Amino acid sequence: MELLKIDSLTKVIKKKKILDDISLTVNSGEIVGFLGPNGAGKTTTIKMIMGLFSITSGHITVCGYDIEKDYEKAMKNVGGIVENPDLYKRLTARQNLEYFASMYDGDTKSQIDEVIELVKMAGRVDDKVKTYSLGMRQRVGLAQALLHRPKLLVLDEPTNGLDPIGIKELRDLLKYLSKNADVGVFVSSHLLSEMELMCDRIYIIDNGVGIGEKTLEQVKDSGEEEIYSYSFITSDKNKTYDYFKSLEANCDLTNGGVTLVMKRDEIPGIVRALIKMNIDIFAVNQSQRTLEQDFISMTTGTKTQIR
Ligand SMILES: Nc1ncnc2c1ncn2[C@@H]1O[C@H](COP(=O)(O)OP(=O)(O)OP(=O)(O)O)[C@@H](O)[C@H]1O
Ligand SMILES: [Mg+2]
């Protein structure tokens, strides 16, 4: 089911185009990343999804409700955190949740128990928030965003300030929510490595312009075809270098060994050839080709065209 549809969204503030014709979708059960450098327009987009910013042109639809025409129905289906969660530090997590729940109708007691269970913070829920780590506060923020059982969860750079363990916990939690509570997650970040681990699909934005969508399968598939840089450590680096040169390959002698830029599926043949030449191979390291490289090439491509 399509939970979020952004269609040709444009935002102009003081004659400046902050967002230019952004379109994207989020389906239930999916974690969709929104990746872009500082100032790209991530927070602006997320504020617009949460109804905190007006729309200059285009449409945002949440669970089929246009947020301009059916504001309340659309908002019932969105929960989110923009910047840091707003919590009362002298209250416990449960008291914070009780306070926020009092703004919604329904069976608040069971709702609170449910979200505490969902974000897995049962053990600490009656401690004061001021004694919490940043990671725990993020959890309470998530619990708060989930209180009214929204179908769509929108998070603006939720891993900011978290350590690697906190980031992993958040990632596992979002995966759990998307797969078990059938929530769709739209999450922004400027860190590609993080998005690759967390998301099913990624949209890239730069300077207010959408510059591409990738599924993780596409990222992985492209790995077979792509050209990587390899570092060879062998018993005879000069002989290795001469051999690479004879292939007319892009190669270089370094302190430790020889680097070679080559298609991935050529490497086994090259390794066999080196062995036949009685060269011992101690290591062949492939440089990490990640979405990072696509990201950099895509974003540097657009910078000059806009503004
Ligand atoms: N209220 C505003 N008035 C004028 N310009 C604004 C306003 N809000 C945002 N901008 C501008 O819009 C652009 C996008 O900002 P936004 O905060 O959405 O980027 P971001 O992708 O969230 O960046 P970051 O990674 O730094 O959080 C920036 O150039 C910013 O200066
Ligand atoms: Mg931002």
Side-chain angles (χ1 to χ4, degrees):
M1 183 188 157
E2 196 172 81
L3 297 181
L4 173 68
K5 185 176 167 65
I6 296 185
D7 187 19
S8 299
L9 186 69
T10 297
K11 177 74 181 172
V12 177
I13 303 177
K14 293 181 192 135
K15 294 191 182 161
K16 191 176 156 207
K17 230 178 213 180
I18 308 285
L19 296 178
D20 188 4
D21 201 22
I22 299 290
S23 296
L24 56 86
T25 56
V26 177
N27 301 309
S28 61
E30 253 188 339
I31 304 180
V32 176
F34 196 37
L35 176 70
N38 293 136
K42 303 180 295 293
T43 301
T44 306
T45 307
I46 283 175
K47 282 186 175 165
M48 288 167 91
I49 298 169
M50 294 180 71
L52 302 170
F53 255 6
S54 67
I55 295 173
T56 307
S57 70
H59 298 279
I60 299 177
T61 314
V62 178
C63 296
Y65 298 110
D66 183 300
I67 70 164
E68 288 184 299
K69 293 185 194 128
D70 269 316
Y71 179 77
E72 277 175 23
K73 283 183 185 151
M75 286 308 116
K76 266 200 174 147
N77 290 295
V78 188
I81 314 178
V82 191
E83 279 133 23
N84 288 321
D86 223 355
L87 302 169
Y88 293 95
K89 298 194 176 60
R90 287 160 187 272
L91 301 182
T92 68
R94 190 190 295 280
Q95 287 165 337
N96 266 281
L97 292 172
E98 280 164 357
Y99 172 74
F100 288 106
S102 68
M103 296 192 273
Y104 305 106
D105 17 279
D107 180 1
T108 52
K109 170 83 176 74
S110 71
Q111 266 167 266
I112 291 171
D113 290 342
E114 191 185 315
V115 293
I116 290 169
E117 173 77 32
L118 272 178
V119 305
K120 304 183 166 73
M121 55 173 207
R124 296 286 312 275
V125 72
D126 293 310
D127 295 344
K128 288 198 169 123
V129 167
K130 68 178 179 191
T131 68
Y132 283 8
S133 67
L134 191 62
M136 279 297 293
R137 284 179 203 188
Q138 281 293 10
R139 263 167 210 254
V140 188
L142 267 183
Q144 184 188 314
L146 289 166
L147 259 183
H148 61 294
R149 293 178 191 154
K151 296 235 178 304
L152 175 71
L153 197 55
V154 182
L155 306 170
D156 190 21
E157 308 224 30
T159 58
N160 259 0
L162 296 185
D163 65 16
I165 292 168
I167 291 174
K168 183 176 183 324
E169 283 176 357
L170 181 75
R171 187 165 71 222
D172 291 345
L173 187 56
L174 293 181
K175 284 188 177 167
Y176 176 83
L177 288 173
S178 68
K179 304 305 170 234
N180 299 286
D182 216 23
V183 169
V185 183
F186 186 57
V187 53
S188 77
S189 171
H190 59 275
L191 292 177
L192 189 81
S193 46
E194 195 175 289
M195 298 262 94
E196 278 187 281
L197 290 174
M198 193 187 290
C199 301
D200 302 303
R201 290 188 293 131
I202 298 167
Y203 288 95
I204 301 174
I205 182 177
D206 185 33
N207 258 310
V209 183
I211 51 171
E213 188 214 325
K214 295 240 165 200
T215 63
L216 285 194
E217 283 74 31
Q218 281 170 334
V219 176
K220 283 175 194 147
D221 287 351
S222 69
E224 305 301 316
E225 292 295 310
E226 293 297 342
I227 294 164
Y228 295 82
S229 170
Y230 293 88
S231 141
F232 281 76
I233 299 171
T234 65
S235 55
D236 189 335
K237 72 177 184 178
N238 291 321
K239 218 166 146 187
T240 306
Y241 179 71
D242 290 343
Y243 169 60
F244 292 166
K245 273 278 164 210
S246 76
L247 301 173
E248 297 185 352
N250 180 358
C251 56
D252 217 344
L253 270 171
T254 63
N255 284 341
V258 191
T259 59
L260 170 71
V261 178
M262 188 54 74
K263 270 176 77 180
R264 188 168 184 258
D265 54 10
E266 303 278 348
I267 297 299
I270 288 173
V271 169
R272 277 196 296 271
L274 290 172
I275 290 168
K276 271 197 190 140
M277 293 159 74
N278 279 328
I279 298 172
D280 293 331
I281 298 167
F282 298 106
V284 182
N285 293 313
Q286 179 185 295
S287 73
Q288 280 279 330
R289 185 187 166 94
T290 60
L291 210 52
E292 202 90 46
Q293 288 167 3
D294 294 343
F295 179 50
I296 290 164
S297 60
M298 278 194 248
T299 54
T300 47
T302 55
K303 274 254 153 55
T304 47
Q305 292 165 25
I306 306 129
R307 264 171 252 142

